[in-house]
Amino acid sequence: YQEASGEIHALETGLSSDPPMNWRLSKLDRYVLVSNSDSHSPWPWRLGREANLFEMEEPTYELLVDSIRTKDRSILKGTIEVNPAYGKYHWTGHRNCTFSVPPERAVELNNLCPVCHRRLTKGVEQRVLELSDRPQGFVPEDAIPYKYLLPLSEIVAAVTGSSSLYASSVQEIYRRLIPSLGDEFEVLLSSSKDSIVSLVGSDMAEAILEVRNGKADVIPGYDGVYGQPVFSTMRKPKIGREDDRDEAVLD
């Protein structure tokens, strides 16, 4: 954007990154990190996968924009993020070889697949490692808070074992919760466990609370394969992780 770049005040993290990944690059410090969901889905319930949290007594466009320009934490309270590990290119790997590794291991392998000996598809996390000038875990003093969430339909699909978010079985459970308990954010952030159990059972309630409390595990995506959530009430799925493979193959 050349001479107009000074008019850019915010960067969107998107699905592939989160605030901690961006905080590792000092040249991004002057920007406010915001998070928005895709809007091109024909399904309205897909909106809000990622979001920004504002607190204003009388919401106005001017207050919203000024809070972003000045990084006003009294108004811009935080962002809701999907863990980037769900992204299709988070880790480095090879889809055809069902093989994936974190960036440090990929560097040790010289980015070569130990199965087919071709170059691995580099993941976003490895690219961040290459660009970063700060260690993992660095948090700026004026950082805007964030919270990981996962869309309700994706939690339901994972717990029920459905391969489609649009399956009638997934939508039927979704509609039991909404609008009975309010909107999707109310279910994910504040509805009591007992109220969720009464509508959809204990396994689903436990999964929702694990997401809410940041305790859900993720098998990272790689080379075009989406990451997969892992809840305590479900069997752990397997995709291409190095620790799932025969050691002899790696040697």
Side-chain angles (χ1 to χ4, degrees):
Y1 297 98
Q2 299 180 6
E3 69 278 358
S5 60
E7 300 301 318
I8 299 173
H9 303 284
L11 297 178
E12 183 184 36
T13 56
L15 180 61
S16 296
S17 77
D18 61 4
M21 295 168 79
N22 287 271
W23 292 338
R24 296 186 65 182
L25 281 70
S26 61
K27 64 182 178 181
L28 303 183
D29 284 353
R30 76 178 186 87
Y31 300 104
V32 175
L33 300 177
V34 296
S35 187
N36 306 291
S37 65
D38 293 339
S39 60
H40 55 254
S41 171
W43 302 94
W45 47 268
R46 295 293 285 159
L47 295 172
R49 179 174 65 179
E50 300 196 340
N52 306 291
L53 306 176
F54 295 93
E55 186 176 302
M56 294 175 269
E57 289 186 10
E58 295 184 10
T60 67
Y61 174 78
E62 288 75 16
L63 276 178
L64 185 149
V65 172
D66 286 344
S67 69
I68 293 175
R69 286 175 176 161
T70 62
K71 198 182 284 192
D72 186 347
R73 294 178 54 172
S74 69
I75 296 177
L76 178 54
K77 294 295 186 179
T79 60
I80 291 176
E81 313 271 345
V82 172
N83 189 326
Y86 288 107
K88 293 193 292 184
Y89 294 93
H90 186 65
W91 268 8
T92 297
H94 257 178
R95 175 174 46 188
N96 291 341
C97 298
T98 62
F99 177 84
S100 64
V101 285
E104 294 80 6
R105 180 61 178 146
V107 172
E108 292 176 0
L109 293 170
N110 198 28
N111 287 330
L112 295 176
C113 178
V115 180
C116 68
H117 306 295
R118 297 180 180 178
R119 292 201 69 78
L120 296 164
T121 301
K122 187 180 296 184
V124 175
E125 194 170 38
Q126 184 176 349
R127 185 59 179 151
V128 170
L129 176 66
E130 294 172 349
L131 295 173
S132 64
D133 56 359
R134 289 170 171 161
Q136 186 172 3
F138 177 87
V139 181
E141 291 183 1
D142 62 347
I144 301 294
Y146 73 97
K147 181 178 180 64
Y148 287 142
L149 283 184
L150 188 63
L152 183 57
S153 57
E154 299 194 28
I155 299 173
V156 173
V159 174
T160 60
S162 174
S163 60
S164 172
L165 301 178
Y166 312 109
S168 58
S169 58
V170 173
Q171 291 303 301
E172 192 273 328
I173 293 174
Y174 184 93
R175 293 192 184 100
R176 278 191 232 163
L177 293 165
I178 297 171
S180 298
L181 299 180
D183 60 34
E184 187 164 333
F185 282 139
E186 288 184 76
V187 174
L188 293 173
L189 291 170
S190 59
S191 295
S192 69
K193 181 177 181 178
D194 288 344
S195 64
I196 300 173
V197 169
S198 67
L199 292 169
V200 293
S202 59
D203 285 358
M204 196 67 64
E206 191 62 40
I208 291 171
L209 263 64
E210 286 179 13
V211 170
R212 180 187 300 175
N213 297 324
K215 295 181 178 179
D217 193 15
V218 184
I219 296 179
Y222 67 101
D223 196 18
V225 178
Y226 277 112
Q228 297 183 42
V230 181
F231 304 116
S232 62
T233 56
M234 61 184 283
R235 245 185 114 180
K236 187 175 181 180
K238 282 191 175 184
I239 58 177
R241 299 215 299 181
E242 185 176 23
D243 54 10
D244 290 333
R245 300 193 62 82
D246 189 335
E247 290 295 330
V249 173
L250 297 175
D251 292 340

